[in-house]
Amino acid sequence: MTSRRLLLFGLVAFIAALAGVLAGRLIVETPRASETELHSLLHSQLKLSPAQKVKLDRIEAKFALRRDALELDMRAANIRLAQAIEAEHGYGPRVTEAIDETHRVMGELQKETLQHLFAMRVVLDRDQAAMFDKTVVKALTADAR
């Protein structure tokens, strides 16, 4: 009977760890759809000047590097969460700490994404910025559903 309980705890821990990794991947992947929509708007509908294109390309390249680094941090945090769940077999201090770490990394990604959006907006003229604002609001409210 004790070995059955141990097996059951191991199975529950594995499923919880897998769920944590999958949830983290879904959270990290969410901004990409909005970025694709914004990228499309910026490069096809806003009729950017050559100078604006150069500035936006620099902003996008810088953010892509930072986003990739934060996504790696998120994957590492999810692995640590899975390890904590496996080690504690419950909601203990290591699990709590690992959850806090994933939230910290997600928060950093969200902050840097918004800083990136505002940096792009500065490059636009008033009419372009109004279209951009509508697209950002639409994308963010779509992600919230």
PDB file of all heavy atoms in Angstrom, residues 66-83:
ATOM      1  N   ARG A  66      16.076  40.849 -26.018  1.00  0.00           N
ATOM      2  CA  ARG A  66      15.651  40.866 -24.609  1.00  0.00           C
ATOM      3  C   ARG A  66      14.513  39.880 -24.371  1.00  0.00           C
ATOM      4  O   ARG A  66      14.495  39.174 -23.365  1.00  0.00           O
ATOM      5  CB  ARG A  66      15.235  42.296 -24.215  1.00  0.00           C
ATOM      6  CG  ARG A  66      14.937  42.444 -22.770  1.00  0.00           C
ATOM      7  CD  ARG A  66      16.147  42.137 -21.893  1.00  0.00           C
ATOM      8  NE  ARG A  66      15.749  42.196 -20.515  1.00  0.00           N
ATOM      9  CZ  ARG A  66      16.085  41.311 -19.601  1.00  0.00           C
ATOM     10  NH1 ARG A  66      16.891  40.316 -19.882  1.00  0.00           N
ATOM     11  NH2 ARG A  66      15.644  41.431 -18.364  1.00  0.00           N
ATOM     12  N   ARG A  67      13.551  39.826 -25.324  1.00  0.00           N
ATOM     13  CA  ARG A  67      12.438  38.892 -25.201  1.00  0.00           C
ATOM     14  C   ARG A  67      12.947  37.454 -25.189  1.00  0.00           C
ATOM     15  O   ARG A  67      12.513  36.631 -24.373  1.00  0.00           O
ATOM     16  CB  ARG A  67      11.443  39.095 -26.347  1.00  0.00           C
ATOM     17  CG  ARG A  67      10.216  38.184 -26.235  1.00  0.00           C
ATOM     18  CD  ARG A  67       9.393  38.166 -27.503  1.00  0.00           C
ATOM     19  NE  ARG A  67      10.217  37.695 -28.595  1.00  0.00           N
ATOM     20  CZ  ARG A  67      10.271  38.267 -29.788  1.00  0.00           C
ATOM     21  NH1 ARG A  67       9.570  39.329 -30.065  1.00  0.00           N
ATOM     22  NH2 ARG A  67      11.044  37.769 -30.729  1.00  0.00           N
ATOM     23  N   ASP A  68      13.882  37.144 -26.077  1.00  0.00           N
ATOM     24  CA  ASP A  68      14.438  35.786 -26.116  1.00  0.00           C
ATOM     25  C   ASP A  68      15.104  35.428 -24.786  1.00  0.00           C
ATOM     26  O   ASP A  68      14.954  34.309 -24.284  1.00  0.00           O
ATOM     27  CB  ASP A  68      15.438  35.641 -27.262  1.00  0.00           C
ATOM     28  CG  ASP A  68      14.766  35.656 -28.638  1.00  0.00           C
ATOM     29  OD1 ASP A  68      13.518  35.532 -28.714  1.00  0.00           O
ATOM     30  OD2 ASP A  68      15.500  35.805 -29.635  1.00  0.00           O
ATOM     31  N   ALA A  69      15.822  36.379 -24.207  1.00  0.00           N
ATOM     32  CA  ALA A  69      16.484  36.132 -22.913  1.00  0.00           C
ATOM     33  C   ALA A  69      15.450  35.888 -21.816  1.00  0.00           C
ATOM     34  O   ALA A  69      15.606  34.972 -20.997  1.00  0.00           O
ATOM     35  CB  ALA A  69      17.387  37.312 -22.552  1.00  0.00           C
ATOM     36  N   LEU A  70      14.388  36.690 -21.804  1.00  0.00           N
ATOM     37  CA  LEU A  70      13.353  36.508 -20.785  1.00  0.00           C
ATOM     38  C   LEU A  70      12.594  35.199 -20.985  1.00  0.00           C
ATOM     39  O   LEU A  70      12.194  34.551 -20.013  1.00  0.00           O
ATOM     40  CB  LEU A  70      12.389  37.697 -20.791  1.00  0.00           C
ATOM     41  CG  LEU A  70      12.967  38.976 -20.182  1.00  0.00           C
ATOM     42  CD1 LEU A  70      12.086  40.178 -20.503  1.00  0.00           C
ATOM     43  CD2 LEU A  70      13.143  38.825 -18.680  1.00  0.00           C
ATOM     44  N   GLU A  71      12.394  34.790 -22.230  1.00  0.00           N
ATOM     45  CA  GLU A  71      11.742  33.509 -22.478  1.00  0.00           C
ATOM     46  C   GLU A  71      12.600  32.350 -21.979  1.00  0.00           C
ATOM     47  O   GLU A  71      12.077  31.376 -21.438  1.00  0.00           O
ATOM     48  CB  GLU A  71      11.398  33.360 -23.954  1.00  0.00           C
ATOM     49  CG  GLU A  71      10.233  34.243 -24.366  1.00  0.00           C
ATOM     50  CD  GLU A  71       9.903  34.177 -25.843  1.00  0.00           C
ATOM     51  OE1 GLU A  71      10.646  33.522 -26.620  1.00  0.00           O
ATOM     52  OE2 GLU A  71       8.892  34.794 -26.234  1.00  0.00           O
ATOM     53  N   LEU A  72      13.905  32.471 -22.138  1.00  0.00           N
ATOM     54  CA  LEU A  72      14.803  31.451 -21.571  1.00  0.00           C
ATOM     55  C   LEU A  72      14.710  31.439 -20.050  1.00  0.00           C
ATOM     56  O   LEU A  72      14.687  30.368 -19.433  1.00  0.00           O
ATOM     57  CB  LEU A  72      16.247  31.705 -22.016  1.00  0.00           C
ATOM     58  CG  LEU A  72      16.595  31.325 -23.446  1.00  0.00           C
ATOM     59  CD1 LEU A  72      18.027  31.765 -23.777  1.00  0.00           C
ATOM     60  CD2 LEU A  72      16.430  29.831 -23.665  1.00  0.00           C
ATOM     61  N   ASP A  73      14.657  32.623 -19.453  1.00  0.00           N
ATOM     62  CA  ASP A  73      14.485  32.710 -17.998  1.00  0.00           C
ATOM     63  C   ASP A  73      13.175  32.049 -17.571  1.00  0.00           C
ATOM     64  O   ASP A  73      13.120  31.373 -16.536  1.00  0.00           O
ATOM     65  CB  ASP A  73      14.480  34.168 -17.530  1.00  0.00           C
ATOM     66  CG  ASP A  73      15.845  34.823 -17.588  1.00  0.00           C
ATOM     67  OD1 ASP A  73      16.851  34.106 -17.788  1.00  0.00           O
ATOM     68  OD2 ASP A  73      15.903  36.060 -17.430  1.00  0.00           O
ATOM     69  N   MET A  74      12.124  32.255 -18.362  1.00  0.00           N
ATOM     70  CA  MET A  74      10.819  31.669 -18.030  1.00  0.00           C
ATOM     71  C   MET A  74      10.872  30.147 -18.110  1.00  0.00           C
ATOM     72  O   MET A  74      10.333  29.456 -17.241  1.00  0.00           O
ATOM     73  CB  MET A  74       9.749  32.231 -18.980  1.00  0.00           C
ATOM     74  CG  MET A  74       8.354  31.864 -18.603  1.00  0.00           C
ATOM     75  SD  MET A  74       7.891  32.675 -17.063  1.00  0.00           S
ATOM     76  CE  MET A  74       6.830  31.433 -16.394  1.00  0.00           C
ATOM     77  N   ARG A  75      11.521  29.637 -19.137  1.00  0.00           N
ATOM     78  CA  ARG A  75      11.659  28.174 -19.248  1.00  0.00           C
ATOM     79  C   ARG A  75      12.438  27.616 -18.060  1.00  0.00           C
ATOM     80  O   ARG A  75      12.072  26.591 -17.492  1.00  0.00           O
ATOM     81  CB  ARG A  75      12.340  27.813 -20.565  1.00  0.00           C
ATOM     82  CG  ARG A  75      11.443  27.993 -21.755  1.00  0.00           C
ATOM     83  CD  ARG A  75      12.097  27.485 -23.046  1.00  0.00           C
ATOM     84  NE  ARG A  75      11.289  27.904 -24.164  1.00  0.00           N
ATOM     85  CZ  ARG A  75      11.590  28.909 -24.976  1.00  0.00           C
ATOM     86  NH1 ARG A  75      12.702  29.598 -24.804  1.00  0.00           N
ATOM     87  NH2 ARG A  75      10.788  29.229 -25.976  1.00  0.00           N
ATOM     88  N   ALA A  76      13.503  28.303 -17.681  1.00  0.00           N
ATOM     89  CA  ALA A  76      14.301  27.859 -16.528  1.00  0.00           C
ATOM     90  C   ALA A  76      13.480  27.916 -15.242  1.00  0.00           C
ATOM     91  O   ALA A  76      13.545  27.009 -14.408  1.00  0.00           O
ATOM     92  CB  ALA A  76      15.562  28.717 -16.409  1.00  0.00           C
ATOM     93  N   ALA A  77      12.693  28.977 -15.092  1.00  0.00           N
ATOM     94  CA  ALA A  77      11.843  29.102 -13.901  1.00  0.00           C
ATOM     95  C   ALA A  77      10.806  27.980 -13.865  1.00  0.00           C
ATOM     96  O   ALA A  77      10.513  27.437 -12.790  1.00  0.00           O
ATOM     97  CB  ALA A  77      11.151  30.467 -13.874  1.00  0.00           C
ATOM     98  N   ASN A  78      10.252  27.623 -15.001  1.00  0.00           N
ATOM     99  CA  ASN A  78       9.284  26.528 -15.049  1.00  0.00           C
ATOM    100  C   ASN A  78       9.932  25.191 -14.704  1.00  0.00           C
ATOM    101  O   ASN A  78       9.317  24.348 -14.047  1.00  0.00           O
ATOM    102  CB  ASN A  78       8.618  26.461 -16.423  1.00  0.00           C
ATOM    103  CG  ASN A  78       7.534  27.481 -16.569  1.00  0.00           C
ATOM    104  OD1 ASN A  78       6.893  27.881 -15.613  1.00  0.00           O
ATOM    105  ND2 ASN A  78       7.309  27.934 -17.794  1.00  0.00           N
ATOM    106  N   ILE A  79      11.163  25.015 -15.130  1.00  0.00           N
ATOM    107  CA  ILE A  79      11.878  23.780 -14.775  1.00  0.00           C
ATOM    108  C   ILE A  79      12.094  23.723 -13.263  1.00  0.00           C
ATOM    109  O   ILE A  79      11.885  22.692 -12.633  1.00  0.00           O
ATOM    110  CB  ILE A  79      13.213  23.682 -15.542  1.00  0.00           C
ATOM    111  CG1 ILE A  79      12.927  23.401 -17.029  1.00  0.00           C
ATOM    112  CG2 ILE A  79      14.118  22.601 -14.943  1.00  0.00           C
ATOM    113  CD1 ILE A  79      14.132  23.556 -17.930  1.00  0.00           C
ATOM    114  N   ARG A  80      12.493  24.867 -12.686  1.00  0.00           N
ATOM    115  CA  ARG A  80      12.680  24.897 -11.229  1.00  0.00           C
ATOM    116  C   ARG A  80      11.359  24.660 -10.498  1.00  0.00           C
ATOM    117  O   ARG A  80      11.325  24.008  -9.454  1.00  0.00           O
ATOM    118  CB  ARG A  80      13.341  26.207 -10.807  1.00  0.00           C
ATOM    119  CG  ARG A  80      14.827  26.249 -11.155  1.00  0.00           C
ATOM    120  CD  ARG A  80      15.530  27.452 -10.573  1.00  0.00           C
ATOM    121  NE  ARG A  80      15.197  28.683 -11.262  1.00  0.00           N
ATOM    122  CZ  ARG A  80      15.737  29.082 -12.417  1.00  0.00           C
ATOM    123  NH1 ARG A  80      16.619  28.318 -13.025  1.00  0.00           N
ATOM    124  NH2 ARG A  80      15.390  30.234 -12.960  1.00  0.00           N
ATOM    125  N   LEU A  81      10.267  25.155 -11.052  1.00  0.00           N
ATOM    126  CA  LEU A  81       8.955  24.897 -10.455  1.00  0.00           C
ATOM    127  C   LEU A  81       8.638  23.405 -10.509  1.00  0.00           C
ATOM    128  O   LEU A  81       8.191  22.821  -9.518  1.00  0.00           O
ATOM    129  CB  LEU A  81       7.871  25.708 -11.174  1.00  0.00           C
ATOM    130  CG  LEU A  81       6.431  25.432 -10.750  1.00  0.00           C
ATOM    131  CD1 LEU A  81       6.234  25.697  -9.254  1.00  0.00           C
ATOM    132  CD2 LEU A  81       5.470  26.283 -11.578  1.00  0.00           C
ATOM    133  N   ALA A  82       8.884  22.793 -11.638  1.00  0.00           N
ATOM    134  CA  ALA A  82       8.635  21.351 -11.763  1.00  0.00           C
ATOM    135  C   ALA A  82       9.491  20.566 -10.778  1.00  0.00           C
ATOM    136  O   ALA A  82       9.018  19.619 -10.136  1.00  0.00           O
ATOM    137  CB  ALA A  82       8.916  20.895 -13.200  1.00  0.00           C
ATOM    138  N   GLN A  83      10.746  20.965 -10.628  1.00  0.00           N
ATOM    139  CA  GLN A  83      11.634  20.287  -9.679  1.00  0.00           C
ATOM    140  C   GLN A  83      11.158  20.469  -8.244  1.00  0.00           C
ATOM    141  O   GLN A  83      11.212  19.532  -7.441  1.00  0.00           O
ATOM    142  CB  GLN A  83      13.065  20.804  -9.842  1.00  0.00           C
ATOM    143  CG  GLN A  83      13.699  20.399 -11.146  1.00  0.00           C
ATOM    144  CD  GLN A  83      14.999  21.138 -11.429  1.00  0.00           C
ATOM    145  OE1 GLN A  83      15.247  22.221 -10.903  1.00  0.00           O
ATOM    146  NE2 GLN A  83      15.836  20.555 -12.279  1.00  0.00           N
TER     147      GLN A  83
END
